[in-house]
Amino acid sequence: MPQRHSKNNNDLAFFTYEEKRKLGYGTQKERLGKDSIKPFDACCLCLKPFIDPMSCQKGHVFCKECILECLLSQKKDIQRKLAAQIAQQKQEKEEEEERLMLQKAKELDAFDQQNHGALPQYSDRNYIRDKNGFHGANSVKVTSFEEEALRTMKAFWLPSATPEAAVKVEAPSTSTTCPEGKEKLKLKTLFPIHFTEDTSEQKKSKSLVMTYICPSCKVTLTNTMSLVALNTCGHVFCKKCADRFMAVDKVCLVCGKPCKEKNLVNLEKGGTGFAGHGDHLEARDFKHLGSGSGLGLVRPATKT
């Protein structure tokens, strides 16, 4: 059966509904799958199962080696920026001293000329050009003021007279930041966390992947659960057990170490540049058909 002519007609001055649908016009929605969500037991930097996990006070979990390497590189970058700023300040100081010396020499020459009536008076406009014998780009006389004259003249076609934009080095921040939350982070604020492994024979025989459980209720920890860690001892519990027992008893359920409500740190899940996590895991891509091109403007996808 032949297709309808309206679906194949493309000689109109506007797009038909079928043509817009094939081009992907409008907002395209797609729910993010499991592969797009960072697991709770993965490092926020290398996105691999963590080794010797450490957490910040905001609940971002990293491998010990990854976060130490990250903080070390930040400190090296801060030192490099500080050295560049010091070098720039030194250069600006030298340029200012040179400018003051040239201005003082110019004032002395002008004062000397005024005290000798036989010498002609030089104006500020033609002072450098007449006194030093520089009369433009075709001059063959090379003087010590040639560079200054080339810099001030309006001959933009000369490579030596091309203006250069000064690069201003701003004062860098001297504090390291968390690579995930962008808040200030120090090495002493990090604390190691300890997950309870599932050592049951049934779990060992079914899967080779290491699974973790809550030491209180023995429930397997997944991405759908909210996890809480104690920054005093590092043990990890599910949110329900932490609110039900530790917030009331003020002790750790594993080691019995005293704790307060401020010692409970909610661990974050997902949220890296390659993965997202939240209640509405939906990617949207809006495509607008502009005039003339047929495809128009495409707005990048956003995660909600």
Side-chain angles (χ1 to χ4, degrees):
M1 182 177 179
Q3 297 181 355
R4 294 179 56 185
H5 176 67
S6 61
K7 293 185 178 182
N8 300 322
N9 186 17
N10 56 2
D11 59 350
L12 299 176
F14 54 88
F15 288 104
T16 61
Y17 173 78
E18 186 67 20
E19 291 171 341
K20 290 181 179 180
R21 189 179 65 83
K22 290 181 179 180
L23 288 173
Y25 173 77
T27 302
Q28 307 295 327
K29 299 180 181 180
E30 183 179 357
R31 182 172 176 83
L32 301 179
K34 181 181 179 181
D35 296 336
S36 300
I37 305 173
K38 185 183 76 67
F40 72 93
D41 58 346
C43 173
C44 292
L45 290 175
C46 63
L47 300 181
K48 297 179 181 180
F50 45 60
I51 302 175
D52 296 332
M54 300 189 74
S55 174
C56 65
Q57 299 299 327
K58 296 295 183 179
H60 302 115
V61 183
F62 311 94
C63 296
K64 184 177 181 179
E65 182 180 358
C66 294
I67 189 60
L68 293 181
E69 184 178 355
C70 179
L71 294 179
L72 181 60
S73 62
Q74 289 187 28
K75 290 183 179 180
K76 289 183 178 180
D77 190 42
I78 291 173
Q79 292 177 358
R80 180 185 59 82
K81 291 180 179 180
L82 287 175
Q85 185 191 17
I86 293 174
Q88 184 186 31
Q89 292 177 352
K90 183 179 179 180
Q91 183 180 1
E92 290 178 353
K93 185 178 180 180
E94 292 177 354
E95 291 178 354
E96 182 68 17
E97 292 177 354
E98 184 178 358
R99 187 184 65 82
L100 292 177
M101 289 177 61
L102 290 176
Q103 183 179 1
K104 186 176 181 180
K106 182 179 178 181
E107 293 176 355
L108 291 175
D109 290 344
F111 179 76
D112 189 29
Q113 291 172 11
Q114 290 178 1
N115 291 336
H116 296 77
L119 296 178
Q121 300 293 329
Y122 295 94
S123 61
D124 294 337
R125 184 176 182 181
N126 301 324
Y127 173 76
I128 297 177
R129 184 187 65 183
D130 296 338
K131 185 176 185 301
N132 300 293
F134 182 77
H135 300 281
N138 296 325
S139 176
V140 296
K141 186 177 180 181
V142 180
T143 64
S144 60
F145 293 90
E146 182 176 357
E147 184 180 355
E148 179 68 18
L150 282 174
R151 189 176 61 83
T152 56
M153 69 185 300
K154 303 300 181 181
F156 58 87
W157 56 88
L158 297 177
S160 58
T162 304
E164 297 181 355
V167 180
K168 186 68 174 178
V169 180
E170 301 294 338
S173 176
T174 57
S175 58
T176 55
T177 59
C178 177
E180 183 70 13
K182 301 304 179 183
E183 68 272 359
K184 291 184 179 180
L185 179 64
K186 294 182 179 180
L187 184 60
K188 63 181 181 180
T189 59
L190 295 171
F191 62 95
I193 57 178
H194 308 285
F195 285 87
T196 304
E197 299 181 10
D198 190 358
T199 57
S200 61
E201 297 295 335
Q202 184 178 3
K203 289 289 183 180
K204 284 185 178 181
S205 60
K206 284 186 177 181
S207 176
L208 297 177
V209 181
M210 187 178 299
T211 57
Y212 302 99
I213 61 174
C214 174
S216 176
C217 60
K218 307 301 180 182
V219 176
T220 303
L221 302 181
T222 60
N223 258 32
T224 59
M225 302 175 61
S226 298
L227 306 179
V228 176
L230 290 174
N231 58 10
T232 55
C233 58
H235 292 105
V236 180
F237 304 88
C238 64
K239 181 70 173 177
K240 293 182 179 179
C241 294
D243 294 339
R244 184 180 301 177
F245 301 107
M246 288 184 293
V248 179
D249 299 336
K250 307 297 182 181
V251 292
C252 177
L253 300 178
V254 178
C255 60
K257 191 173 183 178
C259 65
K260 298 181 180 180
E261 189 174 357
K262 64 179 182 180
N263 300 127
L264 302 177
V265 178
N266 296 320
L267 298 183
E268 296 290 339
K269 298 171 291 185
T272 65
F274 303 93
H277 181 273
D279 295 332
H280 305 284
L281 301 179
E282 191 177 72
R284 295 186 179 184
D285 186 7
F286 177 78
K287 187 176 290 185
H288 172 67
L289 299 179
S291 60
S293 62
L295 291 178
L297 304 176
V298 178
R299 192 166 58 194
T302 58
K303 298 176 183 179
T304 58

